[in-house]
Amino acid sequence: MIAQDSPTFDPLRVLLISPLPPPSGGIGRWAVLLLDWVARHPNVAVRSVNISPHWRAVEDMKLWKRVLGGGMQG
């Protein structure tokens, strides 16, 4: 039982900047697992920023496409 005069704590706030599937990869899969875990823990508040490359095919690594397309990705 928690006493009425006990201090209350704000949730831990986390900013997760990571690629999320698709495409599926190691870091993206880890981020999904982390977000699933956090959803079950109300003492942690997470904001996620998805940085996966949606504007091009993952295999298309031409420099000019990475420079131009990466700057337009929002």
Side-chain angles (χ1 to χ4, degrees), residues 9-14 42-46:
F9 297 98
D10 290 332
L12 174 66
R13 296 186 301 171
V14 176
N43 57 336
V44 181
V46 166

Side-chain angles (χ1 to χ4, degrees), residues 4 35-36 54 58 72:
Q4 294 294 334
L35 291 171
D36 288 345
H54 294 288
V58 176
M72 294 185 297

